[in-house]
Coordinates of all heavy atoms in Angstrom, one line a residue:
Chain E
T20 N 13.6 -15.8 -3.6 CA 12.1 -15.9 -3.6 C 11.5 -15.5 -2.4 O 11.7 -16.1 -1.4 CB 11.7 -17.2 -4.2 OG1 12.3 -17.5 -5.6 CG2 10.1 -17.3 -4.4
L21 N 10.5 -14.5 -2.5 CA 9.6 -14.1 -1.4 C 8.4 -14.9 -1.6 O 7.7 -14.8 -2.6 CB 9.6 -12.7 -1.5 CG 10.7 -11.8 -1.0 CD1 11.9 -12.0 -1.9 CD2 10.3 -10.4 -0.9
S22 N 7.8 -15.4 -0.5 CA 6.6 -16.1 -0.5 C 5.4 -15.2 -0.1 O 5.6 -14.4 0.7 CB 6.6 -17.3 0.4 OG 5.4 -18.0 0.5
C23 N 4.2 -15.4 -0.8 CA 3.0 -14.8 -0.4 C 1.9 -15.7 -0.5 O 1.7 -16.2 -1.7 CB 2.9 -13.5 -1.2 SG 1.2 -12.7 -1.0
E24 N 1.2 -16.0 0.5 CA 0.0 -16.9 0.5 C -1.1 -16.2 1.1 O -1.1 -15.5 2.1 CB 0.4 -18.1 1.3 CG 1.6 -18.9 0.8 CD 1.2 -19.8 -0.3 OE1 0.1 -20.2 -0.5 OE2 2.1 -20.1 -1.1
Q25 N -2.4 -16.3 0.6 CA -3.5 -15.7 1.0 C -4.7 -16.7 1.1 O -4.8 -17.6 0.2 CB -4.0 -14.5 0.2 CG -4.2 -14.7 -1.3 CD -5.6 -15.0 -1.7 OE1 -6.6 -14.9 -0.9 NE2 -5.9 -15.0 -3.0
N26 N -5.5 -16.6 2.1 CA -6.7 -17.6 2.4 C -8.0 -16.7 2.3 O -8.9 -17.1 3.0 CB -6.5 -18.5 3.6 CG -6.4 -17.5 4.8 OD1 -6.5 -16.4 4.7 ND2 -6.2 -18.3 6.0
L27 N -7.9 -15.6 1.5 CA -9.2 -14.7 1.5 C -10.0 -15.0 0.2 O -11.1 -14.3 0.1 CB -8.6 -13.2 1.5 CG -7.9 -12.8 2.7 CD1 -7.2 -11.4 2.4 CD2 -8.8 -12.7 3.9
N28 N -9.6 -16.0 -0.5 CA -10.3 -16.2 -1.7 C -10.3 -15.1 -2.8 O -11.3 -14.9 -3.4 CB -11.7 -16.8 -1.4 CG -12.2 -17.6 -2.6 OD1 -11.5 -18.3 -3.3 ND2 -13.6 -17.5 -2.8
H29 N -9.4 -14.3 -2.7 CA -9.3 -13.2 -3.6 C -8.7 -13.5 -4.9 O -7.7 -14.4 -5.0 CB -8.4 -12.0 -3.0 CG -9.1 -11.4 -1.8 ND1 -8.4 -10.4 -1.1 CD2 -10.4 -11.3 -1.4 CE1 -9.1 -9.9 -0.1 NE2 -10.4 -10.5 -0.3
D30 N -9.1 -12.9 -6.0 CA -8.6 -13.2 -7.2 C -7.4 -12.3 -7.6 O -6.5 -12.8 -8.3 CB -9.7 -12.8 -8.4 CG -10.7 -13.8 -8.5 OD1 -10.6 -15.0 -8.2 OD2 -12.0 -13.4 -8.8
A31 N -7.3 -11.1 -7.1 CA -6.3 -10.3 -7.5 C -5.2 -10.1 -6.5 O -5.4 -10.1 -5.2 CB -6.8 -8.8 -7.7
M32 N -3.9 -10.3 -6.8 CA -2.8 -10.1 -5.9 C -1.8 -9.1 -6.5 O -1.7 -9.0 -7.8 CB -2.1 -11.5 -5.7 CG -3.1 -12.5 -4.9 SD -2.5 -14.0 -4.5 CE -1.4 -13.5 -3.1
Y33 N -1.0 -8.6 -5.6 CA 0.0 -7.5 -6.0 C 1.2 -7.7 -5.2 O 1.2 -8.1 -4.1 CB -0.6 -6.1 -5.6 CG -2.1 -5.9 -6.0 CD1 -3.1 -6.4 -5.4 CD2 -2.3 -5.2 -7.2 CE1 -4.4 -6.1 -5.7 CE2 -3.7 -5.0 -7.6 CZ -4.7 -5.4 -6.9 OH -6.0 -5.2 -7.3
W34 N 2.3 -7.1 -5.8 CA 3.6 -7.0 -5.1 C 4.0 -5.5 -5.3 O 4.0 -4.9 -6.3 CB 4.7 -7.9 -5.7 CG 4.8 -9.2 -5.2 CD1 4.3 -10.4 -5.8 CD2 5.2 -9.6 -3.9 NE1 4.6 -11.5 -4.9 CE2 5.1 -11.0 -3.7 CE3 5.9 -9.0 -2.7 CZ2 5.5 -11.8 -2.6 CZ3 6.2 -9.5 -1.7 CH2 6.0 -11.1 -1.6
Y35 N 4.4 -5.0 -4.0 CA 4.9 -3.6 -4.0 C 6.3 -3.6 -3.3 O 6.6 -4.4 -2.5 CB 4.0 -2.7 -3.1 CG 2.6 -2.5 -3.7 CD1 1.6 -3.4 -3.3 CD2 2.4 -1.4 -4.5 CE1 0.3 -3.1 -3.7 CE2 1.1 -1.2 -5.0 CZ 0.0 -2.1 -4.6 OH -1.3 -1.8 -5.1
R36 N 7.1 -2.6 -3.8 CA 8.3 -2.4 -3.2 C 8.2 -1.0 -2.4 O 7.7 0.1 -2.9 CB 9.4 -2.2 -4.2 CG 10.8 -1.7 -3.7 CD 11.8 -1.7 -4.7 NE 13.0 -1.0 -4.2 CZ 14.2 -1.3 -4.5 NH1 14.5 -2.4 -5.2 NH2 15.2 -0.7 -4.0
Q37 N 8.7 -1.0 -1.1 CA 8.5 0.2 -0.3 C 9.9 0.7 0.1 O 10.7 -0.1 0.7 CB 7.8 0.1 1.0 CG 7.5 1.2 1.7 CD 6.6 1.0 3.0 OE1 6.4 -0.1 3.5 NE2 6.2 2.2 3.5
D38 N 10.3 1.9 -0.4 CA 11.6 2.6 0.1 C 11.3 3.8 0.9 O 10.2 4.4 0.6 CB 12.4 2.9 -1.1 CG 12.9 1.7 -2.0 OD1 13.9 1.0 -1.6 OD2 12.1 1.5 -3.1
P39 N 12.0 4.2 1.8 CA 11.8 5.3 2.7 C 11.6 6.6 1.9 O 12.3 6.9 1.0 CB 13.0 5.5 3.5 CG 13.7 4.1 3.6 CD 13.4 3.5 2.2
G40 N 10.4 7.3 2.2 CA 10.0 8.5 1.5 C 9.5 8.4 0.1 O 9.2 9.3 -0.6
Q41 N 9.3 7.1 -0.3 CA 8.8 6.9 -1.7 C 7.5 6.3 -1.8 O 7.0 6.0 -2.9 CB 9.9 6.1 -2.6 CG 11.2 6.8 -2.7 CD 12.0 6.2 -3.7 OE1 11.5 5.8 -4.9 NE2 13.4 6.1 -3.5
G42 N 6.9 5.9 -0.7 CA 5.6 5.4 -0.9 C 5.8 3.9 -1.3 O 6.8 3.3 -1.1
L43 N 4.7 3.4 -2.0 CA 4.6 2.0 -2.4 C 4.7 2.1 -4.0 O 4.0 2.9 -4.6 CB 3.4 1.3 -2.0 CG 3.4 0.7 -0.6 CD1 3.4 1.7 0.5 CD2 2.2 -0.2 -0.5
R44 N 5.6 1.3 -4.6 CA 5.7 1.3 -6.0 C 5.4 -0.1 -6.4 O 5.9 -1.2 -5.9 CB 7.2 1.6 -6.6 CG 7.4 3.1 -6.2 CD 8.7 3.5 -6.8 NE 9.9 2.8 -6.1 CZ 11.1 2.9 -6.5 NH1 11.5 3.3 -7.6 NH2 12.0 2.3 -5.5
L45 N 4.5 -0.2 -7.4 CA 4.0 -1.5 -8.0 C 5.0 -2.3 -8.8 O 5.5 -1.8 -9.7 CB 2.6 -1.3 -8.7 CG 1.9 -2.5 -9.2 CD1 1.4 -3.4 -8.0 CD2 0.8 -2.2 -10.2
I46 N 5.3 -3.6 -8.4 CA 6.2 -4.5 -9.2 C 5.5 -5.3 -10.2 O 5.7 -5.2 -11.3 CB 7.0 -5.3 -8.3 CG1 7.7 -4.4 -7.2 CG2 8.0 -6.1 -9.0 CD1 8.3 -5.3 -6.1
Y47 N 4.6 -6.1 -9.7 CA 3.7 -7.0 -10.6 C 2.3 -7.1 -10.0 O 2.1 -6.9 -8.7 CB 4.3 -8.3 -10.7 CG 5.2 -8.6 -11.8 CD1 6.6 -8.5 -11.6 CD2 4.8 -8.9 -13.0 CE1 7.6 -8.7 -12.6 CE2 5.7 -9.1 -14.1 CZ 7.0 -9.0 -13.9 OH 8.0 -9.3 -14.9
Y48 N 1.3 -7.4 -10.7 CA 0.1 -7.7 -10.2 C -0.6 -8.8 -11.1 O -0.3 -9.0 -12.3 CB -0.9 -6.5 -10.1 CG -1.2 -5.8 -11.5 CD1 -2.4 -6.1 -12.1 CD2 -0.4 -4.9 -12.0 CE1 -2.9 -5.5 -13.3 CE2 -0.7 -4.3 -13.2 CZ -2.0 -4.5 -13.9 OH -2.3 -3.9 -15.0
S49 N -1.5 -9.5 -10.5 CA -2.2 -10.6 -11.1 C -3.7 -10.5 -10.8 O -4.2 -10.4 -9.7 CB -1.7 -11.9 -10.6 OG -2.5 -13.0 -11.0
Q50 N -4.4 -10.6 -11.9 CA -6.0 -10.5 -11.7 C -6.6 -11.9 -11.6 O -7.7 -12.1 -11.2 CB -6.6 -9.7 -12.8 CG -6.1 -8.3 -12.9 CD -6.5 -7.6 -14.2 OE1 -7.5 -7.9 -14.8 NE2 -5.8 -6.7 -14.6
I51 N -5.9 -12.9 -12.1 CA -6.4 -14.2 -12.1 C -5.2 -15.3 -12.3 O -4.2 -14.9 -12.6 CB -7.3 -14.4 -13.4 CG1 -8.3 -15.6 -13.2 CG2 -6.5 -14.4 -14.7 CD1 -9.4 -15.6 -14.2
V52 N -5.6 -16.5 -11.9 CA -4.5 -17.6 -12.0 C -4.0 -17.7 -13.4 O -4.7 -17.5 -14.4 CB -5.1 -18.9 -11.5 CG1 -4.1 -20.1 -11.7 CG2 -5.6 -18.8 -10.1
N53 N -2.7 -17.9 -13.5 CA -1.9 -18.0 -14.7 C -1.8 -16.7 -15.6 O -1.6 -16.9 -16.8 CB -2.5 -19.3 -15.6 CG -2.2 -20.5 -14.9 OD1 -1.2 -20.8 -14.3 ND2 -3.3 -21.5 -15.0
D54 N -2.1 -15.7 -15.0 CA -2.0 -14.4 -15.7 C -1.5 -13.3 -14.8 O -1.8 -13.3 -13.6 CB -3.3 -13.9 -16.2 CG -3.2 -12.6 -17.1 OD1 -2.4 -12.6 -18.0 OD2 -3.9 -11.6 -16.8
F55 N -0.5 -12.5 -15.2 CA 0.1 -11.4 -14.5 C 0.5 -10.3 -15.4 O 0.7 -10.5 -16.5 CB 1.2 -11.9 -13.4 CG 2.2 -12.7 -14.1 CD1 3.2 -12.2 -14.8 CD2 2.1 -14.2 -14.0 CE1 4.2 -13.0 -15.4 CE2 3.1 -15.0 -14.6 CZ 4.2 -14.4 -15.3
Q56 N 0.6 -9.2 -14.8 CA 1.1 -8.0 -15.7 C 2.3 -7.3 -14.9 O 2.2 -7.1 -13.7 CB -0.1 -7.0 -15.7 CG -1.5 -7.6 -16.2 CD -1.2 -8.2 -17.7 OE1 -0.6 -7.6 -18.5 NE2 -2.0 -9.2 -18.0
K57 N 3.1 -6.6 -15.6 CA 4.1 -5.8 -15.2 C 3.6 -4.5 -14.5 O 2.6 -4.0 -15.1 CB 5.2 -5.4 -16.1 CG 6.0 -6.6 -16.7 CD 7.0 -6.2 -17.7 CE 7.8 -7.4 -18.1 NZ 8.9 -6.9 -19.2
G58 N 4.2 -4.1 -13.5 CA 3.8 -2.9 -12.9 C 4.8 -1.8 -13.3 O 5.3 -1.9 -14.4
D59 N 5.1 -0.8 -12.4 CA 5.9 0.3 -12.7 C 7.4 0.0 -12.7 O 8.2 0.7 -13.3 CB 5.5 1.5 -12.0 CG 4.1 2.0 -12.0 OD1 3.7 1.9 -13.2 OD2 3.4 2.2 -11.0
I60 N 7.8 -1.0 -11.9 CA 9.1 -1.2 -11.6 C 9.5 -2.7 -11.7 O 10.1 -3.3 -10.9 CB 9.7 -0.7 -10.3 CG1 8.8 -1.2 -9.1 CG2 9.6 0.9 -10.2 CD1 9.5 -0.9 -7.8
A61 N 9.1 -3.4 -12.8 CA 9.2 -4.8 -12.9 C 10.5 -5.3 -13.3 O 10.9 -6.5 -13.1 CB 8.2 -5.3 -14.0

Side-chain angles (χ1 to χ4, degrees):
Chain E
T20 298
L21 285 60
S22 171
C23 177
E24 303 279 332
Q25 55 102 354
N26 60 4
L27 298 167
N28 200 32
H29 287 174
D30 286 326
M32 296 188 75
Y33 311 81
W34 273 107
Y35 293 94
R36 171 178 172 142
Q37 185 177 18
D38 296 281
Q41 295 192 44
L43 277 67
R44 292 183 289 169
L45 183 64
I46 305 173
Y47 270 97
Y48 63 101
S49 168
Q50 298 168 30
I51 197 168
V52 175
N53 292 322
D54 184 55
F55 48 83
Q56 308 295 327
K57 292 183 179 180
D59 301 316
I60 56 166

